Amino acid sequence: MRKPSTMSATIASSVPAHMTSDEWALRCDLASLYRLVAHFGMTDLVYTHISARVPGPEDHFLINRYGVLFQNMLPSTLVRIDCDGRIVHPQEGDETAINPAGFVIHSAIHMARPEFGCIIHTHTAAGAAVAAQRQGLLPISQQALKFRGHIGYHDYEGIALDLGERERLVDDLGMHKAMILRNHGLLAAGRTIPEAFSTIYLLETACRIQIAAQSGGAELTIPSEEVCRHTADQYNRDGGDLEHYEFLWRSMLPLIGE
């Protein structure tokens, strides 16, 4: 098990009686991730979600309590659910604790890709803008080239409340770790929380660069296909460097006071 973030010795030192130390450590890291996503402006009021798979054989995962702002997320305000959307260890008032649309998207990916420890879904202006463009993500920045040949696209079907959409979400993601949900937003996944954070940060940055570059009205420069493939291979060699993602994660934590 990877060490939890230094979220606060006070918060991380007391494990609730009904919870394993592994789950509590995961809750600490996931709460930190929520606050980092808020720090970088990737939130949409109380909408969108980040989930993490709970260690163990049960196929449970953690997701945000509906209505808690990302910047206020704590380990105790995360909700544990199973892949049928049932709350594990429910408390009073938990009947409306999760957003059904978040359950549909995240449960689809978690059930199909058990190697993913964390999934992030966002509705940022830049991400939704690129998602509305027919050509999708353009290879016009170094950040975008990470995803050249390594990103899926899913057509918009309305608010994600239909369980039947889960199979199509999984098919469109394929074996990638990132996906653009057309007319909707972005999705990124990782084997670890640090990998998922790095993936969504680079994808969001690539979208912001694309919208900014297009707004200038000048003709865009696109590298040769050979250079695009080479750069994508550099980024994705051996599936990505988990040690580097961990290094980046630790570097970011002081931004949220950890």
Side-chain angles (χ1 to χ4, degrees), residues 211-238:
I211 298 304
Q214 290 171 325
S215 70
E219 184 178 358
L220 301 178
T221 298
I222 297 180
S224 69
E225 185 58 33
E226 180 182 4
V227 169
C228 289
R229 288 197 304 269
H230 172 64
T231 308
D233 289 344
Q234 288 178 311
Y235 266 118
N236 296 286
R237 186 175 294 118
D238 299 323

Side-chain angles (χ1 to χ4, degrees), residues 3 21 51 71 203 218 220 224:
K3 294 180 180 178
S21 58
S51 63
Q71 60 263 36
L203 183 55
L220 301 178
S224 69

Side-chain angles (χ1 to χ4, degrees), residues 98-193:
I98 65 168
N99 182 340
F103 160 72
V104 168
I105 294 172
H106 288 253
S107 63
I109 308 303
H110 277 294
M111 287 190 292
R113 302 287 297 276
E115 74 273 23
F116 287 155
C118 181
I119 298 167
I120 304 171
H121 171 47
T122 63
H123 293 166
T124 63
V130 171
Q133 296 181 358
R134 186 175 300 276
Q135 72 271 37
L137 187 66
L138 297 173
I140 59 172
S141 68
Q142 181 164 281
Q143 290 85 346
L145 290 176
K146 171 181 172 63
F147 303 99
R148 187 68 165 174
H150 294 271
I151 193 167
Y153 289 85
H154 177 67
D155 287 339
Y156 188 62
E157 299 186 24
I159 297 173
L161 298 173
D162 181 3
L163 294 179
E165 188 177 355
R166 294 194 295 190
E167 182 177 351
R168 294 182 291 277
L169 281 161
V170 169
D171 287 345
D172 290 336
L173 178 63
M175 293 310 296
H176 304 310
K177 297 177 182 176
M179 184 160 63
I180 290 178
L181 307 176
R182 292 193 183 278
N183 309 102
H184 186 174
L186 307 177
L187 184 142
R191 292 160 290 178
T192 63
I193 283 175

